[in-house]
Amino acid sequence: APGVSDPSAARLADGSWVMALARSQGRGGSILVTRSNDGRKFKPIAEVEGGIPELSAEDDGSLRLFASGPNGITSSRSYDGGKTWFGEKGRRVKWRGLAADPSSAADQGAKLLFFKTILPACHDPNQLQ
């Protein structure tokens, strides 16, 4: 799809795939959610607000979508394979500067979330923590 970047994919229990992509083309920042039965051809199924996406398949069969947003990282949940999304209250990460590019992982039952930050007083945007 034109104007998309930063893909994140998750495989569902039925073997199909859901992929989220950052979409910036004339939309001010949104996430395009797509689905595929074979992992090769994806069709759009939803569009949600947010920045850089990270998808996570949860133990209960739902999907969690982390997204860069103003002052931190937010999350949404889908219980129907990515067609509809419900914003979760609060922020997963609150940050006084930029917190972006979330990446999730599981380790021995623990859920981990990695992200980059830029301090508000940072004069050089290449100085990342």
Side-chain angles (χ1 to χ4, degrees), residues 11-97:
R11 194 163 199 182
L12 302 179
D14 67 4
S16 65
W17 291 88
V18 174
M19 184 185 309
L21 303 121
R23 178 177 238 173
S24 59
Q25 185 180 24
R27 299 182 190 277
S30 65
I31 296 172
L32 178 64
V33 181
T34 63
R35 189 153 178 183
S36 172
N37 289 328
D38 62 7
R40 293 175 180 226
K41 293 185 180 184
F42 288 81
K43 293 183 181 179
I45 58 170
E47 190 161 357
V48 296
E49 289 185 31
I52 306 300
E54 173 69 5
L55 273 173
S56 173
E58 300 298 318
D59 294 337
D60 64 0
S62 68
L63 290 167
R64 179 171 274 135
L65 176 63
F66 297 100
S68 305
N71 300 316
I73 295 173
T74 60
S75 65
S76 300
R77 293 286 286 266
S78 175
Y79 297 92
D80 62 2
K83 294 177 194 168
T84 55
W85 293 89
F86 302 94
E88 296 183 294
K89 289 184 179 185
R91 301 200 178 286
R92 305 298 69 84
V93 174
K94 287 184 179 181
W95 193 255
R96 64 188 186 284

